[in-house]
Amino acid sequence: MSKIIQLIKKMNVAAVFGVLYLVVASWFLIESFNYPYMTKFGVGSGFFPRWVSVFAIIVGIVYLLTAIFKDRFIFEDIMPDRQGLQNVLLVIMAIIVFIFLTDKTGFIISASLLLFTIFIREYPWWKAILLAIVVSTICFLIFRKGFSVPLPVNRWGF
Amino acid sequence: MAESFMGLMSGFSVAISPMNILYCFIGCFVGMVVGVLPGIGPTEATALLIPLTYGMSPVSAIIMLAGIYYGGMYGGTITSVLINTPGEAASVITCLDGYPLAVQGRAGVALKVAAVGSFVGGLISTLGLALIGPPLAEWALKFGPTEMFALLVFGMSMVIGLMGKSLIRGLIAVFIGLLFALVGMDTVSGNIRFTLGINQLVGGIDLVTLSMGLFGLSEILVGMENLKIHNKAGNMNSSKLYPEEKRPTIMSIIRGSFLGFFMGLIPGTSSAIPAMISYSIEKRISKHPEKFGHGAVEGVAGPETANNSYVGGAMIPLFTLGIPSSPTIAILLGAFMMHGLTPGPTLFINEPLVVWGTIASMFIGNLILLIMNVPMASWWAKLANVPNKLLYPVVLIIAILGAYTVSNSMFDVIIMLIAGVIGYVLKKVDIPMAPIVLVFVLSEMMERSILQSIKINKGLSGLYTSPIAMTLLISAAFVLVYSLISELKNKKSAYLGDGSD
C-alpha cells in the first residue's frame, strides 16, 4: 500500500492532467462527428465544435510534451498535508451528502449537517453544533424569507 | 460631448433615486467586505450575488453589481497595508510599501492616500467612460460578423498573452472555456450538442454556476487545506503626509489615473497589471527609488489609483462592444443578459438609462467609498481578523445557496461542485482560471460571427479582405508571438497570476 502511495507521490501531475485533458478533447472531437458539418443552408452545427476540438487536441499534445520534458512537477509538491487533504475531501463529500439529503430533510437540517462536519474539526462539539445551526438558520431566513428563494423544506417547514 | 453630458445628467436622475443609492451602497459595502477578506474577491462576490438580483430592475441590479467590483478594489488595500495580506490580486503590489508604512506607524497615511487616489482614479476613469463610450459604440456599429470574429480572436489572444505565466497553459485554459461553452443548444441551428442526454444541460452550462465553482468553491477548497491561518491587524498612528511627499504623491495619483484607464480598455488585462506597471513607473522616475519597498508613499498611491481607474476603462469594452475585459466584467455581462440586456454598441441607443444610470452611480459609489474608507479604515481592518475556520464554511454555504438560486434546483449545485473540483485541480497544475470564464462568455458570439461571415462571404475570404479584420488578426498574431518570446526570455512577471480581478 505504502509503495503505491509513494508511486503516486512521485507521479508527474502535469502529465496526468495533460492526458485527461486530451481524453476530454478527443471525446468532443468524436462527438462532433454526430453533428452536420455542412447543411444546404451553409455550415452546420458540427463545424465550430470540430475545429475547436482539433485545435484543443493540438494544444493538449504540446502541453503534454512540455509537461513531460520541461515543466515537470510531481504530486508530492502540490498536495496538501494529510490534515489539509482530509479537509478538502471532507468538504467535497459533505456537499455530495447535502445534495442528496436536502430534498428529504429540508435545507436547515442538511446545511447544519454540512457545516457541522467542517466546524467539528476546528471547534469543540457544542460550539460546532451551535455555529452550524445558527449559520444555516440565518442563511435560510435571508434567502427564503428575504429573497423568496424556494429552498427545500421538510414537513415542518424548515 | 454635449450628448454625453445630457446622457450623464439623465443617468444621475436614475442613480440618485433612494433605492438606487441604497443598492449602490449595498454593492460598495459588499465589495469592501470581500475586498478586505483574503481569499474572496469581487469575482466570487459578483457571481454569488447575481441570483439575488432577479427581482430587481435591470439598472438597480447592474448598479449594485458594479459597486461590488469597484468596492472590492478599495477593500483589498486595507489588508495589504495592515496585515501584509492582499485581499485581491490588484492589491498585491500595495503590500510592498503599504505594509512597511504600517510598520513605521504610518498606516493611516497609506490608507488615506490609497482612498483618495482610488477616488480620483475612479472619477477620472468614469469621466473617460462617459466621454469615450458613445463615440466608440457608434464606431463599433460598423462592425460586421467578420470584423467581430477578428475582434474576438484579438481579445482572446490578449487574454492568452497577458494572463498567466505560460502561453501554453493560457491556451489550455482558453480551450477548456471553449469546450465548456459547446455544451447545450447551438444558437444558430438549434441543435442540441454534448449534453450526454441530460435535459438540464440543453440550455448550456450556466455562467454564474461555472464561475462560482471555478472561482468560489475552488478557493474554498484551497483555503480548507490550512484552516489554522489567522491574521492579526496592526495599529494606525500618524495619518499625515510629510511636506516633501505631497507633490510626488499627487503626481503619482494623476499618472495612475490615466494609466489604469487606458489599461482597462485592453481586453485580457487585469487590474493587477496597471498596478504593477504604475509601481515600476513610480520607482523609475522617483528621486528616491531606494525608498521603494521600505515605505514610499508613491508606491501605494500610484498602484492603488491605477487599479481603481482600471475599472472605469474596463467597462468601455463591455458597454460598447459587449466584450468583457476581466472575469468580473464577464460575470457582469452574464448579469446584463439575465436581465434581458444585450451589451454592445446598441446598448447606448436601446437602454440609455441603464448605461448612463450605471455610469452616474459610479460617481456616487466612489464618493460613498471615500467616506467609508478614510474615517473607517481601522474598523474594516478588524473584519480581516475573521478566522478562516469560520469564514470558509460560511462562504461555502452562501456559494451553495447562490448556485441553487440560479434555477432553484440541486442540479446547479452539482455543476458548481464539478466546476469547483476542476478549478481546484487547475489551480494545482497552475492553469489560469480567468481565460476560461472570459472565453466561455465570448464563445457563442464567436461561433455565430464566424458562421455568419462564412455564409456572407461564401468562405473565409472576409477575414483577409476586410482591412479591420486583417489588422485585428495580425495584431492577435503579434500578441501571441510577443508573448511567446517574452516567455522564452522569462520576462513574464509572477504578479500576473491568473489574471483574476
Side-chain angles (χ1 to χ4, degrees):
Chain A
M1 188 67 180
S2 66
K3 265 191 175 176
I4 296 169
I5 293 170
Q6 284 305 317
L7 209 67
I8 292 171
K9 278 183 174 176
K10 298 289 172 202
M11 210 181 255
N12 182 344
V13 64
V16 173
F17 172 77
V19 171
L20 286 174
Y21 169 86
L22 274 172
V23 169
V24 175
S26 305
W27 177 77
F28 270 90
L29 178 65
I30 295 163
E31 189 75 2
S32 74
F33 284 95
N34 293 334
Y35 312 112
Y37 188 81
M38 288 296 285
T39 66
K40 58 182 174 182
F41 305 109
V43 280
S45 57
F47 175 85
F48 193 67
R50 202 167 306 171
W51 283 105
V52 166
S53 41
V54 164
F55 282 116
I57 288 171
I58 294 168
V59 167
I61 292 168
V62 177
Y63 175 82
L64 189 60
L65 292 175
T66 54
I68 293 168
F69 298 109
K70 194 172 157 245
D71 292 335
R72 247 186 88 85
F73 49 101
I74 54 173
F75 266 106
E76 203 170 24
D77 297 336
I78 59 157
M79 290 312 280
D81 58 19
R82 196 185 170 87
Q83 169 87 36
L85 188 63
Q86 279 176 1
N87 283 349
V88 172
L89 293 175
L90 181 85
V91 170
I92 295 170
M93 290 308 295
I95 298 174
I96 294 171
V97 172
F98 171 87
I99 289 167
F100 286 105
L101 218 61
T102 306
D103 281 335
K104 295 176 186 76
T105 62
F107 176 80
I108 292 186
I109 292 176
S110 59
S112 299
L113 202 64
L114 164 75
L115 290 171
F116 175 75
T117 49
I118 302 170
F119 283 139
I120 192 67
R121 298 180 75 81
E122 300 291 332
Y123 291 98
W125 67 268
W126 60 272
K127 235 182 192 177
I129 292 177
L130 198 69
L131 274 171
I133 294 172
V134 168
V135 172
S136 334
T137 310
I138 291 173
C139 287
F140 179 81
L141 291 175
I142 292 174
F143 278 76
R144 184 153 174 111
K145 306 286 178 197
F147 300 119
S148 306
V149 176
L151 290 174
V153 288
N154 52 31
R155 70 170 88 162
W156 299 286
F158 58 92
Chain B
M1 182 76 104
E3 193 190 324
S4 297
F5 181 75
M6 292 300 291
L8 201 56
M9 286 301 109
S10 65
F12 270 110
S13 69
V14 174
I16 58 166
S17 77
M19 279 317 282
N20 284 339
I21 290 181
L22 177 68
Y23 286 130
C24 184
F25 173 79
I26 294 171
C28 292
F29 182 83
V30 173
M32 278 290 295
V33 171
V34 298
V36 167
L37 295 172
I40 318 165
T43 312
E44 295 85 3
T46 314
L48 286 173
L49 290 188
I50 281 186
L52 301 184
T53 66
Y54 287 150
M56 295 181 189
S57 72
V59 68
S60 302
I62 304 298
I63 283 174
M64 190 178 94
L65 295 170
I68 297 173
Y69 187 23
Y70 54 82
M73 300 295 159
Y74 277 75
T77 314
I78 293 175
T79 46
S80 294
V81 171
L82 292 178
I83 56 173
N84 204 21
T85 306
E88 31 81 37
S91 296
V92 170
I93 206 90
T94 309
C95 293
L96 298 182
D97 282 285
Y99 187 64
L101 278 168
V103 170
Q104 294 161 23
R106 301 186 72 207
V109 173
L111 291 174
K112 205 165 153 186
V113 158
V116 173
S118 299
F119 177 68
V120 174
L123 279 193
I124 290 179
S125 71
T126 310
L127 204 62
L129 167 62
L131 295 176
I132 292 179
L136 192 66
E138 213 164 288
W139 178 69
L141 278 172
K142 293 174 187 154
F143 274 37
T146 312
E147 289 79 13
M148 189 49 85
F149 176 76
L151 181 69
L152 293 170
V153 172
F154 174 68
M156 282 189 189
S157 72
M158 295 295 285
V159 169
I160 302 162
L162 292 174
M163 285 182 176
K165 290 162 258 176
S166 152
L167 184 67
I168 188 68
R169 286 184 213 146
L171 279 166
I172 288 280
V174 161
F175 280 100
I176 291 174
L178 281 169
L179 293 175
F180 274 144
L182 289 176
V183 177
M185 190 186 285
D186 162 25
T187 52
V188 181
S189 67
N191 271 1
I192 293 161
R193 305 182 298 200
F194 308 104
T195 58
L196 295 161
I198 300 168
N199 287 337
Q200 288 96 325
L201 284 176
V202 170
I205 298 170
D206 185 81
L207 168 69
V208 177
T209 314
L210 180 72
S211 309
M212 269 191 295
L214 285 178
F215 289 101
L217 184 57
S218 71
E219 194 61 50
I220 293 167
L221 293 176
V222 172
M224 289 298 294
E225 287 180 2
N226 193 357
L227 288 172
K228 297 266 186 294
I229 296 170
H230 193 150
N231 306 308
K232 266 270 172 255
N235 294 318
M236 296 200 296
N237 299 327
S238 163
S239 61
K240 282 195 176 139
L241 278 173
Y242 299 136
E244 67 273 17
E245 287 174 336
K246 282 184 182 164
R247 201 183 131 75
T249 304
I250 292 169
M251 292 310 290
S252 65
I253 287 175
I254 294 170
R255 279 189 291 270
S257 297
F258 288 97
L259 175 76
F261 175 70
F262 286 109
M263 291 299 292
L265 295 174
I266 305 169
T269 53
S270 82
S271 51
I273 297 174
M276 190 180 64
I277 296 175
S278 168
Y279 188 84
S280 96
I281 290 175
E282 294 309 326
K283 188 175 178 181
R284 201 165 293 168
I285 62 175
S286 171
K287 285 178 185 160
H288 302 286
E290 73 283 355
K291 277 190 179 176
F292 280 73
H294 304 286
V297 180
E298 311 97 281
V300 174
E304 279 302 320
T305 308
N307 75 35
N308 267 68
S309 179
Y310 169 89
V311 174
M315 292 282 186
I316 291 182
L318 173 72
F319 282 152
T320 58
L321 302 167
I323 291 179
S325 50
S326 73
T328 314
I329 294 279
I331 293 164
L332 263 180
L333 187 132
F336 271 86
M337 290 172 175
M338 244 170 243
H339 285 276
L341 306 167
T342 312
T346 53
L347 193 66
F348 272 92
I349 301 162
N350 296 342
E351 299 288 346
L353 284 182
V354 173
V355 179
W356 290 111
T358 307
I359 295 172
S361 79
M362 288 169 74
F363 284 103
I364 297 167
N366 274 293
L367 190 65
I368 291 173
L369 286 163
L370 184 70
I371 297 165
M372 274 168 133
N373 270 267
V374 176
M376 296 167 65
S378 58
W379 184 85
W380 285 109
K382 284 187 185 135
L383 203 60
N385 287 337
V386 176
N388 286 353
K389 60 183 182 180
L390 179 64
L391 176 69
Y392 284 116
V394 173
V395 176
L396 172 66
I397 208 77
I398 295 172
I400 289 173
L401 281 166
Y404 181 84
T405 45
V406 168
S407 58
N408 295 329
S409 95
M410 277 296 159
F411 183 77
D412 283 295
V413 182
I414 296 170
I415 295 291
M416 184 193 72
L417 176 62
I418 295 168
V421 173
I422 293 173
Y424 178 73
V425 173
L426 293 177
K427 275 186 177 157
K428 290 290 177 189
V429 292
D430 211 10
I431 302 286
M433 214 76 72
I436 300 176
V437 176
L438 288 176
V439 171
F440 180 81
V441 170
L442 296 178
S443 173
E444 187 188 315
M445 208 194 302
M446 197 176 190
E447 180 173 6
R448 197 182 313 129
S449 56
I450 188 65
L451 295 192
Q452 284 173 347
S453 172
I454 290 171
K455 202 170 184 180
I456 293 166
N457 300 299
K458 300 200 168 22
L460 291 167
S461 62
L463 293 174
Y464 48 84
T465 51
S466 158
I468 296 176
M470 195 63 194
T471 311
L472 286 166
L473 290 174
I474 291 171
S475 306
F478 175 77
V479 170
L480 290 178
V481 171
Y482 179 78
S483 175
L484 186 65
I485 293 169
S486 303
E487 194 182 321
L488 292 174
K489 288 183 178 174
N490 284 327
K491 273 188 178 172
K492 280 203 169 186
S493 166
Y495 281 118
L496 295 182
D498 80 346
S500 58
D501 298 292

